[in-house]
Amino acid sequence: MNENVLNHPMITHKLAILRDVNTCTKEFRELITEIATLICYEATRDAKLEEVTIDTPLESMKTGKVNEDNYVVVPILRAGMGMLDGIINVMPNAKVGHIGLARNETTHEPEEYYYKMPENLSSREALIIDPMLATGGSIAATIDRLKSDGVKCIKILCIVASPEGIKHIEDNYPEVQIFCATVDRQLNDNAYILPGLGDAGDRIYGTK
Ligand code: PRP
Ligand code: URA
């Protein structure tokens, strides 16, 4: 099982507002940020701590710090950018690499239009962020691109996943962990998630 679903009443509560067709753009953006922050805490639970000695006002102590330079956060444009502030709340110094993908409305296959990653990519753990894991095609294309650039450790952080999308990733990339706020029922004939929240990009940017 590669999927890690955040089972928490406050997540269900926030998702209920997020999914609602009457939720305005401002609130939608704020909730995407908040949920992304919570998912990021889960996804970095295994972060390596490097021992440091610090001085409190009272005494010295040995403790640990995470080297954020070990990570690259990869938002899938456009909708993935909606989660970025939430991730940066947890890891303010993480490097960000962008991939631009748009699903072809007929074939539902992702088409790449942009790719720009930070240096030393192959030595970083990649956190792919995108609110929606529907067919899994966009995330699979991102994983393939990162792997061909030598990235060895990849995690997916999404908000709503479909069972079909999770199976697609698990079947093809058994080493990749998925962190999501919910797994919904199914895809519809247009490859949208049911009950879902609609088109995440359009709702974040108010384009429809
Ligand atoms: C949406 C969403 C994902 C993708 C999910 O993006 O943000 O990237 O679809 O679908 P999949 O799992 O079937 O590939 P879209 O292509 O609509 O572009 P946008 O972010 O610009 O709205
Ligand atoms: N992309 C979205 O934004 N929503 C879906 O339900 C599926 C793909």
Side-chain angles (χ1 to χ4, degrees):
M1 289 280 278
N2 298 9
E3 86 227 50
N4 302 271
V5 186
L6 266 70
N7 276 320
H8 194 290
M10 290 314 298
I11 295 275
T12 307
H13 169 83
K14 289 178 192 297
L15 281 171
I17 305 169
L18 191 73
R19 292 176 188 279
D20 193 322
V21 69
N22 295 311
T23 295
C24 68
T25 306
K26 173 178 184 287
E27 203 173 4
F28 192 88
R29 287 179 183 149
E30 288 169 355
L31 284 162
I32 291 268
T33 299
E34 281 176 40
I35 297 171
T37 297
L38 298 170
I39 294 172
C40 190
Y41 278 114
E42 272 312 305
T44 52
R45 194 176 277 283
D46 64 352
K48 285 189 190 59
L49 287 170
E50 294 174 4
E51 191 177 279
V52 291
T53 304
I54 54 115
D55 297 320
T56 79
L58 301 176
E59 61 181 23
S60 290
M61 70 175 286
K62 280 189 175 36
T63 180
K65 281 189 174 175
V66 172
N67 183 356
E68 294 175 37
D69 229 18
N70 292 336
Y71 291 90
V72 56
V73 182
V74 182
I76 302 180
L77 307 179
R78 290 175 299 170
M81 283 300 290
M83 293 175 68
L84 187 59
D85 283 351
I87 307 299
I88 283 176
N89 283 340
V90 183
M91 290 199 291
N93 284 307
K95 302 285 186 291
V96 180
H98 297 83
I99 183 166
L101 296 176
R103 276 202 327 180
N104 181 298
E105 287 185 10
T106 313
T107 64
H108 308 132
E109 290 295 322
E111 293 169 358
E112 184 180 313
Y113 58 87
Y114 189 75
Y115 186 78
K116 176 104 180 151
M117 293 293 145
E119 288 177 350
N120 306 321
L121 184 61
S122 61
S123 60
R124 300 177 193 275
E125 175 174 326
L127 304 180
I128 299 174
I129 57 172
D130 190 323
M132 310 306 278
L133 171 57
T135 65
S138 302
I139 282 179
T142 306
I143 295 173
D144 288 342
R145 201 68 155 79
L146 293 172
K147 281 185 150 193
S148 72
D149 273 347
V151 179
K152 288 170 268 315
C153 185
I154 299 176
K155 289 176 182 157
I156 298 165
L157 283 64
C158 60
I159 293 184
V160 183
S162 74
E164 295 91 333
I166 287 179
K167 182 169 184 329
H168 182 82
I169 300 302
E170 284 184 345
D171 287 351
N172 292 284
Y173 311 97
E175 74 286 5
V176 172
Q177 290 284 314
I178 302 168
F179 295 84
C180 61
T182 181
V183 181
D184 274 9
R185 194 176 71 247
Q186 66 183 96
L187 296 179
N188 70 9
D189 292 343
N190 212 18
Y192 271 76
I193 301 174
L194 295 175
L197 49 73
D199 189 302
D202 282 339
R203 294 195 68 184
I204 292 167
Y205 298 108
T207 39
K208 256 187 201 153

